[in-house]
Amino acid sequence: MSHHYSGPDYGFPHGDARLDLTDLYAFSKPGDPTSSIFILNVHPSAAVNPPGPTTDEPFAPGAIYELKIDTDGDFVADIAYRVRFDTDKSGAQTATLCRAEGLQAAGTGDDGRIIIENAPVSTGNEAQTTEAGEYRFFAGWRSDPFFFDTQGALNDLQFTGDDFFAEADVCSIVLEVPNSALGTGKIGLWQRTIDGTGGKWVQADRGALPSQSVFLTGEKKAEYLSGEPADDARFVAVFAHSLEHTGGYTSEQATRVAKTLLPDILFYDPARPVSYPDNGRKLTDDVMDGFIAILSNGRLTGDNVGPHKDLLSSFPYVGAPHKARSAQKVAA
């Protein structure tokens, strides 16, 4: 189910829904080949274990939400876009977006050059966006664009075509970035959340490709979520063991397939057409049909669930939330 519910027992990392990554998208800005759109989705509005709604507060003020970008193919970040949130006495949140490069980008922290600050966070139907030069930014509640029969997956892949996310919301961070800020050629992307509530920065969740952390990490889940793509080769055996179980692969087959799934990075070249899993990911890409085929060794090829119809043709591209939360802070 994408990266939803990547914590223990289909729960949330560090027990906090606001730190749970769901999906990462990367595609060229429609009608403008000089810019790219990155969407980091976090905080599912509906929990699986235990079932029920999550908190209405969109983002965790004591956390960092980060897009990591590798520009030279070594699976180490050369650029990082970092977002932190503040909450005022009324409960309204604002966001600060920073860009870090080099060793700062590869490390952990809230440092970097400020691009946007005090951007309003949306909680109602209207999408409040902020612009700074060639950058555009949005953060807030939106309709979850992910589509999948979650209950069927949890019931031994017995799919009924019931989209668990049809009426669900998620918190989106949407960035419009000039391609000139991304280097040249193919880049590698992943997202992560950093929890600072304990007095030091601790990685709570990370990922790029859908469902791997949920279905393939086994007893190594906590180690995987706290890890880095550059070290992902150590999880090949863990992934292979899971694939043997779910798909009946031989040991050799499972190892070969596992190596194609790691490192956990979404590759993207702004100069090429977007086509998951080879290049980026669109909001309408049916990523789970492909993953189901891998998981089941071709026994199953889909869950009979299709893309949502409430997507927007312009920024921020994700549809309005199904539920309006607390009153929005009005930008000055």
Side-chain angles (χ1 to χ4, degrees):
M1 59 202 111
S2 190
H3 206 85
H4 296 70
Y5 319 117
S6 53
D9 299 321
Y10 304 109
F12 299 118
H14 293 197
D16 190 339
R18 299 169 302 175
L19 300 176
D20 189 274
L21 302 170
T22 64
D23 293 277
L24 174 63
Y25 303 90
F27 52 92
S28 295
K29 179 183 178 181
D32 182 2
T34 67
S35 295
S36 291
I37 306 298
F38 303 110
I39 301 178
L40 293 70
N41 281 347
V42 301
H43 188 179
S45 65
V48 168
N49 183 28
T54 61
T55 177
D56 281 349
E57 183 180 43
F59 303 98
I64 298 171
Y65 297 79
E66 189 171 31
L67 174 66
K68 294 275 202 177
I69 303 174
D70 167 32
T71 63
D72 59 10
D74 63 356
F75 311 138
V76 175
D78 302 289
I79 302 168
Y81 287 99
R82 294 169 172 156
V83 184
R84 290 198 66 182
F85 296 90
D86 292 304
T87 304
D88 66 18
K89 292 181 180 179
S90 72
Q93 289 190 331
T94 57
T96 297
L97 169 68
C98 294
R99 174 186 164 106
E101 300 179 7
L103 293 177
Q104 280 188 339
T108 298
D110 59 354
D111 44 6
R113 175 174 59 89
I114 294 177
I115 297 174
I116 293 172
E117 56 184 337
N118 297 321
V121 172
S122 297
T123 55
N125 290 333
E126 180 183 358
Q128 296 180 284
T129 64
T130 304
E131 296 186 29
E134 297 180 276
Y135 286 87
R136 185 177 294 183
F137 176 84
F138 168 86
W141 282 106
R142 302 307 282 170
S143 171
D144 194 341
F146 182 64
F147 49 98
F148 186 52
D149 180 359
T150 294
Q151 297 302 333
L154 299 179
N155 185 28
D156 196 28
L157 303 182
Q158 301 297 309
F159 297 113
T160 64
D162 182 17
D163 185 1
F164 180 82
F165 302 93
E167 301 295 327
D169 291 335
V170 73
C171 290
S172 297
I173 297 172
V174 186
L175 303 176
E176 179 179 315
V177 179
N179 291 338
S180 58
L182 302 174
T184 58
K186 182 172 70 173
I187 57 177
L189 309 168
W190 66 100
Q191 59 179 342
R192 68 175 185 168
T193 51
I194 309 295
D195 186 2
T197 56
K200 63 178 182 178
W201 298 118
V202 177
Q203 183 168 298
D205 200 0
R206 61 103 177 188
L209 304 179
S211 285
Q212 297 188 173
S213 66
V214 180
F215 290 109
L216 297 178
T217 50
E219 296 180 353
K220 296 292 186 178
K221 178 174 289 189
E223 186 177 343
Y224 183 84
L225 295 182
S226 64
E228 297 283 347
D231 300 321
D232 276 351
R234 59 187 169 138
F235 297 109
V236 167
V238 177
F239 275 36
H241 178 75
S242 295
L243 290 169
E244 288 181 55
H245 174 73
T246 62
Y249 290 89
T250 66
S251 177
E252 293 77 10
Q253 290 172 333
T255 298
R256 184 173 65 252
V257 173
K259 288 180 178 179
T260 69
L261 301 176
L262 295 167
D264 190 355
I265 285 180
L266 178 67
F267 292 105
Y268 172 62
D269 184 344
R272 295 177 52 228
V274 173
S275 177
Y276 185 87
D278 297 321
N279 189 47
R281 178 183 174 186
K282 301 186 298 291
L283 290 166
T284 54
D285 284 338
D286 198 336
V287 297
M288 291 309 295
D289 278 3
F291 185 74
I292 290 166
I294 292 173
L295 200 66
S296 67
N297 196 7
R299 178 173 57 89
L300 299 170
T301 56
D303 64 341
N304 299 315
V305 176
H308 296 167
K309 305 298 184 182
D310 59 354
L311 301 174
L312 306 179
S313 59
S314 59
F315 195 90
Y317 304 100
V318 277
H322 297 278
K323 171 189 172 184
R325 272 78 181 178
S326 57
Q328 298 187 58
K329 178 178 180 180
V330 178

